Amino acid sequence: MNIEITFSAPSQIDTPLLVLPWCQGRERQAERPSREFDALDEALGLTLTRAVAGGDFRGQRGETLLLYRRGESGPDRVLLVGVGERADLSPERLREVGGHAASRARELRLTEICLSPAPAWPAGPLELELAVRAMVEGVVLGQWRFEELRSEPDEEARRPPLVSLGVLVMDAGVRDEAATGGAELGRVLAAAQNYARELAIRPSNIVNPRYLAGEAQRLGEEFGFKVTVLDRGKIEKEGLVAMLAVAAGSDEEPRFIVMEYGRAEGVQPLVLVGKGVTFDAGGLSLKTPENMEKMKYDMSGAAAVLGAMRAIAELQLNVNVVGLIPAVENLPSGHAMRPGDVIGSHSRKTIEVVNTDAEGRLILADALNYAARYEPEAMVDIATLTGACIVALGHQAIGLMGNDQELVDELRVAGDRSGERAWQLPLWEEYREQMKSEVADIKNSGGRPAGTITAAIFLSEFVGSMPWAHLDIAGTAWAEKAGPYQPVGPTGAGVRLLCEWVRGRAS
Ligand code: BES
Ligand code: MN
Ligand code: ZN
């Protein structure tokens, strides 16, 4: 899809569809947009005024109104998308407008549309960048569909994709750069997020640990970063034995993926670690059949790290980043680890495996401990780690925990800015009690109470003194309900948040 910034009045622009956000309360004289909109209204035969003044269209969040041109020139159609009260206006609302634009374009079979943040967003250059970025993200994310495994494309898939997106900015000049930069950022981030969605929705008989390693290598070549893949022999040599214990039940070969992106010499890297369980049956502590098919998305943390590495490299951020992905499959078999087994780990701590379904923390513990060799400036892991996170925060927020409050605060802010909200849970030392084992240094499950916290407590035992934070995306990686830019299915959660955080650290 080609994205172009245009400077023009909305009544002048020649496009099959112009999409505009619309604030509630616009019927009040003081809230009316500029004269440029009177000209647009004129081209639409004053239907805009009538719809708004008559109260048919109020601009509530998600409300839409499609109008057709009457005059000689101007856009063929105008789609108004309500964004609610001006005071509540946020990039997220504009991302939703982008999503509505994408789905309406698809319904109308248009391959070319134009949108503008202008009527809702009057402020300076920085805000313009954020606004354009959010709308472009919404369009690119809203466009995404997964059709590759149907033998015949269905009706929906036969509709043509968007080839051209125009971003209309009303007054040129200083704002040129803000709009261009915002559009580019939005495009790169949303494309990386769509890529993460695609990895998560592909089934486990396609996406296995070897497949993830292949994807990392492909991305490294295309976007320019170094990729090293450890096979079983090398994983053994490195002493990642907790990871191997999880892999033991599966015939799929495990892989440990190391991605190194770097520009600055002699600067300690940021480390991103993603849980890559390509299928989680629970192992011998077998899950029940309902929803087990969903556990193909238990590699969403890995997908987020792959997506983030891709975007970071494409944006050529001036920063050093290492991405680590322990990739395994968690299945029951005659070779699988048993509940009660005591296993070793990269840190040499012994672990009593009381529940083989608490496998994510085992592979992450090894990967986080492995990361010490980079002496990271900070390290963030991301994982579909606990069902308890869904109980605690639902599908609205990423669980956020860590051993360094400044880092945790940075991630919360990055979450707010990127529209992927994260909410902190405490790691008070009293929770450690739940992880004590009768026979080993630690056990891998603390039972039902505070399951998200105790999982993070477990991880904290393997990070030593490195600044570390943990993102639990169990509730946000898969959408059960469709949203304006999100169909039911994988969300690509964490890509935008991680990139926002890394961007904040880049010089
Ligand atoms: N992958 C699951 C967590 C999960 C559950 C993610 C539902 C997304 C949706 C994880 O490996 C797991 O099984 N966790 C257990 C831990 C328990 C055994 C201590 C859980 O949450 O039940
Ligand atoms: Mn599990
Ligand atoms: Zn899992």
Side-chain angles (χ1 to χ4, degrees), residues 280 282 287 298 330 357-359:
D280 181 12
K287 289 183 184 295
D298 212 16
N330 188 27
D357 199 9
E359 85 296 340

Side-chain angles (χ1 to χ4, degrees), residues 464-481:
S465 58
M466 295 179 272
W468 153 81
H470 160 63
L471 300 168
D472 194 331
I473 53 169
T476 46
W478 195 271
E480 306 287 348
K481 263 179 50 193

Side-chain angles (χ1 to χ4, degrees), residues 35 39 101 103 116 118 147 177 204 273 287 312 358 372 393 411 446 456 478:
R35 246 179 299 142
S103 39
S116 174
E147 301 289 344
E177 218 168 281
S204 304
V273 180
K287 289 183 184 295
I312 289 162
L393 298 171
L411 286 160
W478 195 271

Side-chain angles (χ1 to χ4, degrees), residues 246 282 285 330 337 353 355-362 385 444-445:
V246 177
S285 313
N330 188 27
M337 61 177 176
V353 180
N355 190 325
T356 65
D357 199 9
E359 85 296 340
R361 62 197 75 183
L362 298 176
L385 204 60
N444 77 329
S445 166

Side-chain angles (χ1 to χ4, degrees), residues 97-326:
V97 173
H100 286 291
S103 39
R104 193 59 70 102
R106 187 181 284 264
E107 277 165 29
L108 297 169
R109 294 178 163 71
L110 304 175
T111 58
E112 213 183 298
I113 65 169
C114 193
L115 48 73
S116 174
W121 206 272
L126 177 68
E127 286 88 346
L128 182 71
E129 178 174 333
L130 265 177
V132 170
R133 169 185 163 185
M135 290 187 97
V136 170
E137 281 174 0
V139 173
V140 176
L141 292 169
Q143 273 260 296
W144 181 79
R145 291 287 180 287
F146 183 77
E147 301 289 344
E148 69 187 29
L149 296 179
R150 295 187 205 282
S151 50
E152 291 276 334
D154 65 2
E155 148 75 10
E156 170 93 342
R158 279 197 299 267
R159 296 183 184 183
L162 271 185
V163 291
S164 164
L165 172 63
V167 178
L168 178 65
V169 180
M170 262 145 254
D171 38 308
V174 269
R175 314 180 88 198
D176 191 348
E177 218 168 281
T180 320
E184 176 64 3
L185 201 50
R187 181 189 66 76
V188 170
L189 291 172
Q193 186 173 343
N194 282 344
Y195 170 71
R197 287 169 165 181
E198 209 158 276
L199 290 179
I201 200 172
R202 289 193 185 123
S204 304
N205 59 338
I206 296 173
V207 176
N208 55 36
R210 284 171 295 128
Y211 184 96
L212 287 181
E215 281 298 297
Q217 263 152 348
R218 204 174 57 74
L219 290 183
E221 273 164 35
E222 186 175 345
F223 295 96
F225 52 84
K226 187 179 157 202
V227 179
T228 314
V229 175
L230 311 191
D231 60 12
R232 189 188 292 273
K234 293 198 182 110
I235 294 170
E236 253 162 42
K237 261 204 211 102
E238 288 291 345
L240 299 160
V241 293
M243 172 182 172
L244 286 175
V246 177
S250 168
D251 289 341
E252 280 299 338
E253 286 293 304
R255 291 288 185 265
F256 189 80
I257 305 165
V258 182
M259 295 169 279
E260 297 169 302
Y261 168 80
R263 317 205 81 214
E265 284 288 318
V267 180
Q268 293 173 287
L270 306 172
V271 174
L272 306 177
V273 180
K275 171 178 172 181
V277 175
T278 60
F279 189 72
D280 181 12
L284 287 175
S285 313
L286 192 63
K287 289 183 184 295
T288 50
E290 315 72 270
N291 291 326
M292 199 203 270
E293 78 281 3
K294 287 278 183 59
M295 281 300 120
K296 66 178 179 181
Y297 84 88
D298 212 16
M299 35 56 70
S300 295
V305 170
L306 286 164
M309 292 301 294
R310 167 184 156 143
I312 289 162
E314 189 170 2
L315 295 168
Q316 299 195 15
L317 298 184
N318 192 17
V319 61
N320 291 347
V321 184
V322 174
L324 300 176
I325 295 172

